[in-house]
Amino acid sequence: MAMNMIQKRFMSSSALQKWIYNLSGFNRVGLWRDDLLLETPEVKEALRRLPEYVIDERNYRIIRAAQLSLEHRILPKDQWTKLEDDKLYLTPLVNDVIKEKEERKQWENNH
């Protein structure tokens, strides 16, 4: 009985996540969540660390989204980015850069 409640809660949470993801709209032009990060110094450093082919893929998605936006169009629904296909390719690197900055600052304060 308790397991069914947990499963239902998890399923509804997953359904809610998909609903919110689709409501955001960026997936309708083929963007991924990490494509939307503001280019702070930490994000710029993380981008510098990515392989060139990942940068090329990111640039293609951004250019295509900009073109679609200019034309006031969206992709056909079968080409929308799905939550399960959206990879956080940049966030882990950004977190590493932030952690490195904090460690460097602590080290400089202690030495």
Side-chain angles (χ1 to χ4, degrees):
M1 180 82 158
M3 189 56 127
N4 280 342
M5 291 176 63
I6 292 171
Q7 288 174 335
K8 285 181 184 177
R9 182 165 280 184
F10 177 75
M11 300 254 318
S12 68
S13 172
S14 179
L16 180 62
Q17 285 178 326
K18 285 182 181 181
W19 181 76
I20 290 171
Y21 185 83
N22 287 325
L23 186 64
S24 65
F26 64 85
N27 64 319
R28 295 176 186 174
V29 290
L31 291 174
W32 293 0
R33 288 173 285 179
D34 277 358
D35 296 337
L36 304 174
L37 294 176
L38 292 176
E39 290 197 17
T40 63
E42 293 81 10
V43 171
K44 287 179 183 178
E45 175 60 23
L47 286 167
R48 191 187 65 74
R49 297 178 184 189
L50 286 173
E52 190 172 332
Y53 78 93
V54 176
I55 295 290
D56 291 343
E57 291 170 352
R58 177 180 190 267
N59 289 339
Y60 173 78
R61 288 190 303 272
I62 291 171
I63 290 168
R64 178 179 60 177
Q67 182 65 34
L68 288 166
S69 178
L70 286 171
E71 296 172 359
H72 301 285
R73 294 184 322 128
I74 60 173
L75 292 170
K77 192 164 186 165
D78 64 326
Q79 294 180 28
W80 291 6
T81 306
K82 296 173 191 69
L83 177 61
E84 49 274 359
D85 296 336
D86 191 340
K87 299 174 188 86
L88 294 176
Y89 66 94
L90 193 55
T91 298
L93 286 174
V94 171
N95 291 337
D96 288 346
V97 169
I98 291 169
K99 188 185 297 183
E100 289 170 12
K101 276 187 158 185
E102 291 171 356
E103 289 173 359
R104 188 175 301 117
K105 187 176 179 179
Q106 283 182 342
W107 190 85
E108 288 172 356
N109 289 340
N110 292 330
H111 293 90

